[in-house]
Amino acid sequence: MELDIDLDAQGLFDRAHDFSMDYPAESDALVTGLSVFAWYAMPDFISSPTLRFFGKSAILAGMGSYFYHLPDAEEAIKEGSDAAVQIWKKSGLADQSIPVQVAAGIAASSAVFWVNSLTERYILHRGERKKAKGKKFPHVKQALVLGGLCAATMYFGARRA
């Protein structure tokens, strides 16, 4: 018995592109949910931290290229930049000296990275504790929940926009 499988990469790309244009909210939710799932399930399949780094870098690059190539990406980036400028002006920091602005930016960025690092570490170690207790695929289980929550948030946020 011979299987005749035609791997038409361009046809697959065209169908995926058409889907993303016809169903933008669903497409955004799918890409985001699957990316979050892959991100958090990775420790069950890749034990090397170095390989996980490259795998997660590939996920970020893929998500970035997907969202950058959407038809309204440039407009959304401009709107986001304009909104950030307005928030900056309303905060009162725009009237401060440059060193104060730089210090505030460094402090805010450091706080965000610190909280993110603690959260990521907690999620990873939670899965590792469950794995040590003999649970099968603990990272996959929590990745399903996190990916589903992220996809739902993205879907309903896009539907409201």
Side-chain angles (χ1 to χ4, degrees):
M1 181 170 144
E2 186 177 317
L3 292 176
D4 184 26
I5 300 174
D6 181 22
L7 296 176
D8 179 18
Q10 186 62 43
L12 180 62
F13 174 78
D14 289 341
R15 287 191 304 275
H17 179 267
D18 292 343
F19 178 82
S20 70
M21 294 295 108
D22 294 340
Y23 305 100
E26 292 82 356
S27 180
D28 292 356
L30 184 66
V31 168
T32 306
L34 288 176
S35 297
V36 169
F37 170 77
W39 183 280
Y40 289 110
M42 200 175 291
D44 279 343
F45 304 103
I46 301 173
S47 59
S48 166
T50 303
L51 290 177
R52 282 198 308 263
F53 168 80
F54 287 113
K56 290 180 177 187
S57 297
I59 291 169
L60 289 175
M63 284 186 71
S65 67
Y66 169 78
F67 285 106
Y68 180 76
H69 286 93
L70 293 176
D72 60 348
E74 288 183 30
E75 183 181 320
I77 291 170
K78 184 172 179 350
E79 287 175 10
S81 297
D82 293 343
V85 168
Q86 292 304 318
I87 291 170
W88 185 254
K89 287 180 180 177
K90 287 180 183 178
S91 72
L93 286 171
D95 300 331
Q96 301 296 320
S97 66
I98 297 296
V100 170
Q101 291 182 26
V102 169
I106 290 171
S109 298
S110 297
V112 166
F113 288 129
W114 181 67
V115 169
N116 182 56
S117 176
L118 290 176
T119 304
E120 291 287 323
R121 177 174 269 156
Y122 171 78
I123 291 170
L124 174 68
H125 291 308
R126 181 179 183 274
E128 293 299 314
R129 284 191 304 271
K130 288 186 176 275
K131 186 185 277 188
K133 291 179 181 177
K135 303 282 185 182
K136 293 197 187 283
F137 299 113
H139 296 97
V140 170
K141 291 175 183 174
Q142 63 189 18
L144 283 169
V145 172
L146 294 171
L149 286 172
C150 196
T153 302
M154 189 67 144
Y155 176 75
F156 290 113
R159 297 298 285 183
R160 292 187 72 191

